[in-house]
Amino acid sequence: MSAVTPKGTLYLVPTPLDFGCDAQAAITDVLPQKTLYVAAGVTHWITENAKSTRAFLKRVDAHVALANTIQENTITELPREVHKKGDHTGEFDAKPMLKAALAGHDVGLVSEAGMPAVADPGSSVVRAAHELGIRVVPLVGPVSLLLALAASGLNGQNFAFVGYLPQDSAARSQRLRELESLAAKHKQTQLFIETPYRNQAVWEALVNGLQGTTRLARASGLTMDTMQVHCKTVQAWRSAGKVEISSEPTVFLIGN
């Protein structure tokens, strides 16, 4: 009887938060040595974007030599529909993407920035790993939502991440009123993100549409020298006049 091949491990590999930014943080400032060593040893990857993953591996290789060259790594992109609709609802079956792990290879799951499967695609892969009996190991690294929440001074004991706001201005205003109501009723901080080029429009909708006593925070450039974290009441923001919002990835927070 032939021996059963042990399954590999699915590693959730966080990446620096500077994707799409003009400047980059030193990778050793944001990822611990253990994460870099594990990432360097992985040769099979599941990712949002193969190009950004190769760029990440190049940064890792500058500090810890990769087990294989970047070209020899197997990098598989999540389907386009996962990017557009997300994969957190359970509709996408990611089991076929884990054949390498079933064959005994360790697999790394990465997003373009931060922790995969948190405010990013990847949860379908993690779910499939559990269903297939594949060990799942999250590695240490930056998570923008938690960094923003901790630095905002808003309630970190009860909070919710609600994804993106509607693009339509009327629907967006309605959604903001709903989130403000939840924040006030349940003392629950509401966190959301936006495509960076819409940051300014979202900020103006927040300042102009929320009640003056509501507390409003934004955090951008997290972990980088350009980092900004600010929290004031909406009335205080109005009194400060128009603010030009960074086009860097930003987390917005509503609370009391």
Side-chain angles (χ1 to χ4, degrees):
M1 180 180 292
S2 60
V4 177
T5 301
K7 298 171 184 176
T9 295
L10 176 65
Y11 287 104
L12 311 187
V13 183
T15 55
L17 299 177
D18 51 28
F19 176 77
C21 299
D22 293 334
Q24 290 186 329
I27 196 169
T28 50
D29 287 348
V30 294
L31 294 180
Q33 196 76 355
K34 173 66 179 294
T35 296
L36 293 174
Y37 271 108
V38 172
V42 171
T43 57
H44 292 72
W45 297 87
I46 300 172
T47 180
E48 282 188 89
N49 184 288
K51 182 178 179 180
S52 65
T53 298
R54 285 190 287 269
F56 167 64
L57 290 174
K58 183 177 180 180
R59 294 172 73 178
V60 172
D61 192 40
H63 296 277
V64 181
L66 301 181
N68 283 352
T69 66
I70 293 174
Q71 292 73 23
E72 291 173 328
N73 274 262
T74 300
I75 301 176
T76 304
E77 291 185 337
L78 287 160
R80 182 174 177 80
E81 61 266 23
V82 169
H83 293 269
K84 296 178 68 175
K85 299 179 181 179
D87 63 344
H88 53 280
T89 60
E91 297 175 4
F92 175 66
D93 182 9
K95 293 188 189 72
M97 304 188 78
L98 289 167
K99 289 181 180 179
L102 293 176
H105 300 285
D106 291 338
V107 175
L109 175 65
V110 288
S111 66
E112 290 183 317
M115 179 65 74
V118 178
D120 268 318
S123 58
S124 62
V125 180
V126 179
R127 183 166 51 247
H130 288 301
E131 292 174 357
L132 292 170
I134 295 168
R135 182 172 178 243
V136 177
V137 176
L139 300 178
V140 176
V143 181
S144 61
L145 301 179
L146 296 182
L147 293 172
L149 178 63
S152 71
L154 299 177
N155 190 353
Q157 306 300 316
N158 185 9
F159 56 91
F161 172 63
V162 298
Y164 290 84
L165 300 180
Q167 294 182 30
D168 176 75
S169 58
R172 181 171 56 207
S173 296
Q174 175 62 31
R175 180 60 172 151
L176 287 176
R177 287 192 291 272
E178 293 172 356
L179 295 177
E180 184 178 44
S181 177
L182 287 170
K185 181 178 180 180
H186 301 292
K187 307 301 180 186
Q188 182 184 66
T189 303
Q190 307 294 313
L191 299 90
F192 50 93
I193 55 177
E194 188 48 86
T195 304
Y197 71 83
R198 294 197 191 100
N199 282 351
Q200 191 69 40
V202 168
W203 182 254
E204 292 175 5
L206 286 161
V207 173
N208 295 326
L210 300 181
Q211 298 181 37
T213 55
T214 296
R215 296 192 68 80
L216 172 61
R218 70 175 192 273
S220 62
L222 291 162
T223 73
M224 293 182 288
D225 291 340
T226 56
M227 179 171 58
Q228 295 186 45
V229 183
H230 303 284
C231 185
K232 300 178 184 179
T233 64
V234 170
Q235 185 56 55
W237 282 120
R238 290 174 185 157
S239 299
K242 184 174 180 177
V243 176
E244 295 296 328
I245 303 303
S246 169
S247 59
E248 294 177 330
T250 299
V251 180
F252 299 94
L253 309 92
I254 297 173
N256 295 100

